[in-house]
Amino acid sequence: MGDDIVSRIEYDPAAPDVESIMRQVRAHLGESAGRPQRVARTGQVEPDPRFVDRLREAEASVAAMVTGPQLTPAGVPVIGGLLDRVRLEFHRLVVYYLSRFAQAQGRFNRETVTAVEALATAEARVAALEAQVASLEARLAALEAAGEAPAAAPTRRG
Amino acid sequence: MRIHMMTPVLTTGDAIGNYAVSLQRVFRKLGVSVRLYADHIDPAFKHDARPTSAYRPTGQDILYFHYSIWSENFTALDKSTDFKIMDYHGVAPPHLSIDFDPKMAALCQTAIDALPKYASVFDWCVYHAENGRWDLEEAGYTNFSKVRLPVDTAFFGIEEDRELSEMLSRLEYILFVGRIVPQKDVLSIIRVFGEVHKHRPDACLFLVGGHDVLPGYVQQVRDEIKRLGVAERVRMTDKISNRAMLTSLYRHAKFLVSLSEWENCCVPTGEAMFFRLPVINAGAVPLPENVGDAGVLIDKTDPVSAGRMISDVWDNASAYQTLQENALKRSSWFTDEALLENVGKLMTDLAAAHQGQSAHPAIEAVKSFAPAPEPQQ
């Protein structure tokens, strides 16, 4: 048992002071309840927030893919107005089909972003598990070096 | 072929949500793609699930529908042309919540009333304990497979909260895991503990679960704790999602207690078996099936006798050890391996039931995924 943990726990080794221990348990659970949960019950680990931000920016960029028609006046005397109206209708037609394409592209982008986020999450979880394994291996090595056999099943008070 | 798995809510600490994620994992091991849908999705699941409105039936897939309460997703069920499997979680009796949450009670009543009507809609049912099968048979369903709810053994058992464990190892306590709601009959738990406390003044009780659902009932529980004079021995912790803390709480407990008025499967009892933790229970289904000879059966309407019985078992090392051994034997029922086996059997059942006949396109695909049935002897 680490010295840092023992030094934080106040109790009389001869006779457990239940009230004192319960107060400390309450305090410990109360402190920890507000801590952000790095590993949720499903074992999910959040990917790097900067990575997620970049994905969200990519997703949001779809909204800017298609804007309305942007025409500069033809500047031709007499028939210039008629020319501009014809060009406007032509541009609107192009924008209509481009918008349909953009919507389809947007759906694809959103699915792709979701899939990539899931991959990033999985990768983060693997990294967390690797760290956990390394920690457990270190503990096991320390126990074996001290001559203690590791427990094969969850230990229980009898 | 894909499985579209639908549930009303996906949130952390919810048994059905955790089970849906476990099922998704297991189906993927069997080579079947699963998409999760929910009406309400917790941010923790944002990478894993889609809103129900994103579901598009194809007529070639399976809609796997978790049935537990009336919800908006029944609209998607009504319109689906996919092969429909109901995973039945039971519906909490409305009288347990009518005084505290009439809206929830109404949703429960609607789900109960609708159950027989959907017998002609669902093509197959999954249940978790025999009491679920009784409900389904009574409502007119005929095609079933049994799949026990698993314990998330990837969640438990590795890391403890070492500081918390050091404190807990110096206490002797009973553990309750679940929401503080009338269905769980937490008031009876307090009264029984009050009697245990008379025999064992240093014994403690931890109530681990959310208490934001029904504040009125929570106040009743607090008042009862105060009335019995056990406030210094009882701790209401709120929901704990930290797996190291939950592992510590389970590992150092003397008993788990479950005195529910109603349960469909009671996941904490499976978790208790994993930790070789005997379960104090009142014999309500499905506890006899889940816990059986790993439990201490009490009459919760007689807290005095119950307290004495629990204290006697507490002092009897030999009897207690027997309970622990029995719990260990049962723990294999609730593992991921057991879930994989049960899901494989579900697919085998589906394939076998449609052998030699033209089946829904999804079932034709299931036949190629289903493990080979065990040879008959």
Side-chain angles (χ1 to χ4, degrees):
Chain A
M1 185 66 59
D3 289 344
D4 56 339
I5 293 173
V6 171
S7 65
R8 281 205 297 276
I9 299 166
E10 304 158 1
Y11 60 83
D12 176 1
D17 180 349
V18 175
E19 276 87 9
S20 171
I21 297 170
M22 283 294 274
R23 275 197 299 274
Q24 291 176 67
V25 168
R26 283 191 189 110
H28 183 83
L29 292 174
E31 285 164 9
S32 305
R35 270 188 222 139
Q37 187 61 47
R38 272 295 295 170
V39 180
R41 171 130 193 185
T42 57
Q44 191 171 12
V45 176
E46 293 294 321
D48 188 330
R50 294 166 297 179
F51 175 70
V52 174
D53 286 343
R54 281 198 284 275
L55 283 177
R56 292 290 172 225
E57 283 172 18
E59 191 180 16
S61 68
V62 172
M65 276 178 76
V66 176
T67 60
Q70 294 174 358
L71 277 179
T72 55
V76 175
V78 181
I79 62 168
L82 178 63
L83 268 178
D84 286 341
R85 281 199 295 276
V86 169
R87 287 168 64 213
L88 181 62
E89 289 309 312
F90 177 72
H91 276 240
R92 280 181 177 155
L93 190 63
V94 170
V95 166
Y96 169 74
Y97 284 104
L98 277 177
S99 291
R100 290 180 64 179
F101 163 74
Q103 282 168 14
Q105 181 68 50
R107 283 194 293 273
F108 172 80
N109 288 357
R110 277 188 287 276
E111 291 292 325
T112 305
V113 164
T114 302
V116 172
E117 275 189 285
L119 279 172
T121 302
E123 190 180 353
R125 189 180 177 205
V126 167
L129 285 170
E130 284 175 342
Q132 194 174 49
V133 167
S135 168
L136 288 168
E137 283 176 340
R139 278 175 68 187
L140 183 59
L143 285 169
E144 286 176 341
E148 294 176 34
T155 56
R156 289 273 302 108
R157 294 181 64 197
Chain B
M1 189 274 290
R2 172 178 280 133
I3 292 178
H4 302 274
M5 188 168 296
M6 209 169 272
T7 183
V9 174
L10 263 178
T11 183
T12 56
D14 174 66
I16 296 177
N18 291 338
Y19 168 57
V21 172
S22 293
L23 274 178
Q24 183 184 44
R25 186 170 63 240
V26 161
F27 273 116
R28 281 178 177 162
K29 282 183 187 173
L30 293 170
V32 183
S33 166
V34 178
R35 274 190 184 164
L36 286 176
Y37 303 84
D39 294 340
H40 306 284
I41 302 173
D42 185 277
F45 289 91
K46 65 182 178 185
H47 303 305
D48 302 295
R50 293 169 170 80
T52 303
S53 57
Y55 168 60
R56 297 288 181 270
T58 64
Q60 314 283 322
D61 296 335
I62 289 175
L63 173 60
Y64 195 102
F65 191 89
H66 291 274
Y67 196 111
S68 61
I69 192 168
W70 189 258
S71 183
E72 294 159 9
N73 62 10
F74 275 81
T75 307
L77 169 66
D78 292 339
K79 293 178 184 171
S80 176
T81 52
D82 291 329
F83 186 88
K84 289 174 272 294
I85 297 177
M86 181 221 283
D87 194 311
Y88 182 66
H89 295 272
V91 183
H95 73 268
L96 293 177
S97 56
I98 187 79
D99 292 334
F100 303 93
D101 191 339
K103 186 178 174 189
M104 182 187 291
L107 291 172
C108 290
Q109 187 62 57
T110 305
I112 290 171
D113 293 341
L115 188 63
K117 296 173 190 169
Y118 279 90
S120 59
V121 171
F122 285 105
D123 301 293
W124 204 267
C125 293
V126 168
Y127 65 96
H128 308 297
E130 292 305 308
N131 54 302
R133 181 177 179 136
W134 303 336
D135 288 350
L136 292 170
E137 284 179 332
E138 194 177 320
Y141 294 78
T142 54
N143 299 322
F144 315 101
S145 292
K146 184 173 182 177
V147 176
R148 276 205 173 87
L149 288 194
V151 171
D152 189 347
T153 52
F155 181 94
F156 284 114
I158 301 177
E159 284 285 335
E160 289 185 50
D161 180 319
R162 294 171 70 193
E163 189 170 342
L164 181 61
S165 286
E166 170 56 20
M167 296 178 212
L168 294 175
S169 66
R170 298 186 60 79
L171 296 174
E172 293 195 312
Y173 63 93
I174 298 171
L175 178 67
F176 164 80
V177 178
R179 292 170 302 154
I180 310 300
V181 292
Q183 169 198 332
K184 306 289 184 183
D185 199 1
V186 183
L187 284 172
S188 287
I189 293 174
I190 301 300
R191 289 164 189 151
V192 168
F193 175 75
E195 293 300 322
V196 172
H197 174 71
K198 289 176 183 173
H199 297 277
R200 315 188 71 83
D202 285 344
C204 301
L205 172 66
F206 285 95
L207 305 174
V208 177
H211 46 70
D212 54 348
V213 178
L214 295 173
Y217 184 75
V218 172
Q219 191 55 49
Q220 282 190 5
V221 170
R222 289 194 199 281
D223 291 344
E224 191 68 4
I225 291 170
K226 195 174 172 184
R227 185 184 74 82
L228 293 173
V230 291
E232 294 301 316
R233 294 288 185 267
V234 179
R235 169 69 179 143
M236 218 182 280
T237 69
D238 206 349
K239 183 162 79 171
I240 293 179
S241 301
N242 182 304
R243 63 178 177 173
M245 281 187 178
L246 278 171
T247 298
S248 293
L249 283 160
Y250 269 109
R251 184 160 288 165
H252 298 280
K254 190 72 176 178
F255 298 96
L256 183 86
V257 61
S258 177
L259 302 180
S260 298
E261 286 286 300
W262 177 88
E263 289 284 354
N264 179 248
C265 198
C266 200
V267 169
T269 56
E271 292 168 349
M273 299 299 100
F274 177 73
F275 285 96
R276 294 188 294 155
L277 186 59
V279 179
I280 299 166
N281 71 95
V285 292
L287 276 296
E289 182 180 341
N290 280 3
V291 171
D293 57 6
V296 180
L297 183 63
I298 64 165
D299 177 0
K300 67 178 180 179
T301 63
D302 184 0
V304 173
S305 299
R308 190 167 50 241
M309 181 185 297
I310 293 166
S311 185
D312 288 346
V313 174
W314 206 312
D315 288 330
N316 187 330
S318 170
Y320 187 83
Q321 186 180 348
T322 301
L323 292 173
Q324 284 186 291
E325 289 166 359
N326 294 339
L328 183 61
K329 286 178 202 163
R330 288 171 176 269
S331 63
S332 62
W333 296 359
F334 304 99
T335 59
D336 246 26
E337 288 74 22
L339 179 63
L340 180 64
E341 190 180 320
N342 286 331
V343 169
K345 186 172 180 311
L346 164 63
M347 296 174 77
T348 304
D349 290 347
L350 288 171
H354 297 88
Q355 208 67 38
Q357 55 179 283
S358 61
H360 189 284
I363 298 305
E364 292 301 327
V366 164
K367 289 176 184 175
S368 66
F369 287 116
E374 294 288 324
Q376 300 277 337
Q377 292 192 352

